[in-house]
Each structure stands twice: as structure tokens, then as C-alpha cells.
């Protein structure tokens, strides 16, 4: 894992606002799987261990489809509005994050222009999750507590599925990977974060948080993704693939429960 701080950090009302970039690789998983676990609701408190509670609103991406131009591409993805109540970091006040979270597949034509150390690798697909703060005027959610401070954030998680031992110009296409096992894939993770904690927070505490929490976040994400796909040998490249995997896991779990019940009479 590589962790970079921007040396010339910004200051706002005496607070440190220090953009951070993380570069990481997760073996045996796809970009979609990483993005889906990071973006989704199931593991929200595990991905960010400082979240005490949250509320959300699913955005219907097809709601205004009738008013769009025929050339507009909605694309494959998921959009939510989130409101998170964070654990108190002494001696600061509670924080809340109110933001829009969008997960999107980047079209092959656009992803060909992205080079984050993958120029000499075969990139199968690219997904991005963007989280950015919303103004209170949207009124989707009230604060969990009136005394809490709003955090302003801009976060991007860009992930790319890499086929191991496969190099340009002889890259495999998505239709050619059905017989490949998980150990033939890895995902390159690029995480960029700029967070204004709001209110007053001692600079030393912020530095300590950055140093400890960001690496812990990536290691947790690694574990959560691998646990989520455990026992499923084929990588998931889409929401449809993920749903099929979860259905199969549910059926296996149900069969196991039946066997236990029959064993114990």
C-alpha cells in the first residue's frame, strides 16, 4: 500500500484540510466487487468503523429518462444520498456527513485514457465511486443531533480489474474470461480523499487519524470484499452477477440449515 499526503495542505479557520491519495492492490477480486462493497449499505459500518448510524435515500437513475436525449447514456451504476453520524473524537464534537454517493462503470472508450500505473497491463473494466457533500438546502435529512458538525468531503474510489499474465496488445475481452478462476485476477485501487472536518479539531489528532484510519480502512475493505465473495470462484463483473451469487449463497445456506435440522431431529 502507498499513502501520500499533499505537502501544501489547505487551512480553513485553523483546521488542516489535507488531501490524501492511497494506492493499493487486492488479489483475487474484480473492480466491481470492490466498488460494490465500498458503495453498498451492507458493510457501511465495517468499511468506515467511525460510523455510529446512518440514513439513506436510493436515487432512481431512470426517473427522468423520458426527458433525456437519445444519445444520453445512463450507464450501469447506483446512486444514493447518505447521512452518517460519526463517533466522537475527543475533544471534538460529533460529526455528520451528508453526501451523494454514486457508483458508475466507466465506458471502455473513456477508461482507455486512464493510466494509473496500468499502461502495461490488461484492464478488463473500470468502476468509480464518487462521494461528495450536499448542501443542507436539499432537505432530504435533518441532522441526527442539532449540536453535531457537518463534515465536507470529496472522495473518489477508482478501481480497475487486471488480468494477470495478460499483456497488450493481446488482452482478453470480457466474453473470454468465463473459464478463468479468481487467482487470475487482481484489482488496482486508487483512493483520493479531501475532507474538511468542520468546527475545531486539534491538528495533532487529525494527523493521527490520517495515519491510522486510512490504512485500516483499506485493509478492512480488502477483508470485507474477500469475505463477501468467499466460496464463489467466478468474479462478479456486474450487479446481475452479484445478485446471482447472493441467491446461490442463500440456497446453500438454506440447504445447510435443513441438513442441521434433519441431523438433530
Amino acid at each position: 500500500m502507498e499513502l501520500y499526503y499533499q505537502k501544501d495542505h489547505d487551512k480553513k479557520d485553523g483546521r488542516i484540510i489535507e488531501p490524501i491519495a492511497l494506492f493499493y492492490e487486492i488479489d483475487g477480486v474484480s473492480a466491481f466487487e470492490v466498488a460494490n462493497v465500498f458503495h453498498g449499505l451492507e458493510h457501511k459500518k465495517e468499511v468506515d468503523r467511525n460510523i455510529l448510524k446512518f440514513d439513506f435515500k436510493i436515487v432512481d437513475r431512470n426517473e427522468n429518462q423520458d426527458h433525456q436525449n437519445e444519445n444520453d447514456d445512463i450507464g450501469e451504476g447506483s446512486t444514493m444520498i447518505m447521512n452518517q453520524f460519526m463517533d466522537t473524537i475527543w475533544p471534538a464534537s460529533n460529526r455528520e456527513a451528508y453526501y451523494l454517493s454514486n457508483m458508475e462503470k466507466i465506458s471502455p472508450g473513456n477508461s482507455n485514457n486512464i493510466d494509473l500505473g496500468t499502461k502495461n497491463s490488461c484492464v478488463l473494466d473500470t468502476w468509480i465511486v464518487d462521494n461528495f457533500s450536499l448542501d443542507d438546502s436539499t432537505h432530504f435529512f435533518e441532522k441526527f443531533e442539532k449540536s453535531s458538525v457537518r463534515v465536507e468531503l470529496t472522495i473518489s474510489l477508482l478501481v480497475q480489474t487486471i488480468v494477470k499474465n495478460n499483456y497488450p496488445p493481446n488482452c482478453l475481452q470480457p466474453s473470454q474470461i468465463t473459464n478463468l478462476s479468481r487467482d487470475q485476477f487482481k484489482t488496482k485501487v486508487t483512493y483520493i480523499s479531501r475532507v474538511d472536518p468542520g468546527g475545531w479539531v486539534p491538528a495533532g489528532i487529525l494527523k493521527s487519524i490520517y495515519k491510522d484510519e486510512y490504512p485500516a480502512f483499506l485493509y478492512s475493505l480488502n477483508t470485507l470484499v474477500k469475505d463477501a465473495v468467499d466460496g464463489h470462484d467466478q468474479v462478479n463483473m456486474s450487479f446481475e452477477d452479484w445478485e446471482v451469487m447472493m441467491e446461490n449463497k442463500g440456497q446453500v445456506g438454506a440447504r445447510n440449515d435443513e441438513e442441521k435440522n434433519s441431523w438433530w431431529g
Side-chain angles (χ1 to χ4, degrees):
M1 181 191 70
E2 299 174 68
L3 170 62
Y4 295 93
Y5 298 89
Q6 182 172 311
K7 292 182 180 179
D8 298 324
H9 55 248
D10 299 325
K11 286 192 175 182
K12 185 176 181 180
D13 299 330
R15 300 187 302 275
I16 293 177
I17 305 173
E18 197 164 44
I20 286 176
L22 294 150
F23 302 94
Y24 193 55
E25 287 186 356
I26 303 180
D27 201 45
V29 299
S30 71
F32 170 82
E33 291 167 339
V34 176
N36 193 43
V37 169
F38 174 74
H39 170 74
L41 299 171
E42 183 179 355
H43 302 289
K44 186 66 67 178
K45 290 184 179 180
E46 296 167 287
V47 171
D48 187 343
R49 58 188 184 182
N50 292 309
I51 297 175
L52 292 180
K53 51 188 174 182
F54 65 87
D55 204 350
F56 66 94
K57 175 180 174 62
I58 303 294
V59 177
D60 183 359
R61 295 161 60 92
N62 299 307
E63 184 176 358
N64 297 317
Q65 191 171 7
D66 294 338
H67 303 288
Q68 293 179 337
N69 297 323
E70 60 181 10
N71 294 326
D72 289 345
D73 182 14
I74 297 175
E76 184 177 5
S78 168
T79 305
M80 296 184 291
I81 297 171
M82 300 294 303
N83 196 37
Q84 295 176 178
F85 185 71
M86 320 296 286
D87 195 9
T88 301
I89 302 171
W90 185 91
S93 302
N94 280 103
R95 259 62 182 172
E96 293 195 26
Y98 177 44
Y99 62 94
L100 185 141
S101 181
N102 185 67
M103 175 179 167
E104 197 87 28
K105 184 177 183 179
I106 298 178
S107 64
N110 293 328
S111 62
N112 289 337
N113 299 321
I114 299 173
D115 179 17
L116 295 170
T118 56
K119 185 177 181 180
N120 297 319
S121 302
C122 286
V123 177
L124 199 60
D125 66 352
T126 303
W127 288 79
I128 189 168
V129 179
D130 287 317
N131 297 339
F132 55 89
S133 291
L134 295 174
D135 190 276
D136 282 341
S137 63
T138 51
H139 295 305
F140 282 109
F141 299 108
E142 297 294 332
K143 286 184 178 181
F144 282 105
E145 291 188 9
K146 292 183 178 180
S147 60
S148 61
V149 177
R150 288 282 197 203
V151 173
E152 293 182 9
L153 57 83
T154 303
I155 294 170
S156 288
L157 177 89
L158 188 141
V159 283
Q160 297 173 293
T161 307
I162 308 293
V163 182
K164 297 179 184 177
N165 303 316
N166 189 213
Y167 305 100
N170 301 312
C171 293
L172 296 174
Q173 298 302 309
S175 60
Q176 299 174 297
I177 66 166
T178 52
N179 295 324
L180 298 184
S181 60
R182 284 193 171 276
D183 58 6
Q184 293 174 277
F185 297 91
K186 65 179 179 180
T187 290
K188 185 173 182 63
V189 179
T190 301
Y191 179 87
I192 299 174
S193 171
R194 185 183 186 278
V195 179
D196 176 3
W200 177 82
V201 181
I205 289 181
L206 280 180
K207 286 283 189 181
S208 177
I209 292 172
Y210 293 156
K211 182 178 179 181
D212 296 336
E213 291 297 324
Y214 281 102
F217 147 71
L218 276 185
Y219 292 133
S220 295
L221 183 61
N222 184 332
T223 301
L224 289 168
V225 176
K226 290 185 175 180
D227 286 348
V229 301
D230 184 43
H232 190 74
D233 193 49
Q234 297 295 316
V235 292
N236 298 288
M237 306 299 292
S238 66
F239 290 100
E240 183 179 358
D241 291 347
W242 186 271
E243 289 174 3
V244 171
M245 180 191 73
M246 297 307 292
E247 288 177 4
N248 290 338
K249 282 193 169 188
Q251 291 171 3
V252 170
R255 286 198 299 269
N256 290 340
D257 289 341
E258 289 176 1
E259 289 174 2
K260 288 179 181 178
N261 292 335
S262 62
W263 176 264
W264 292 106

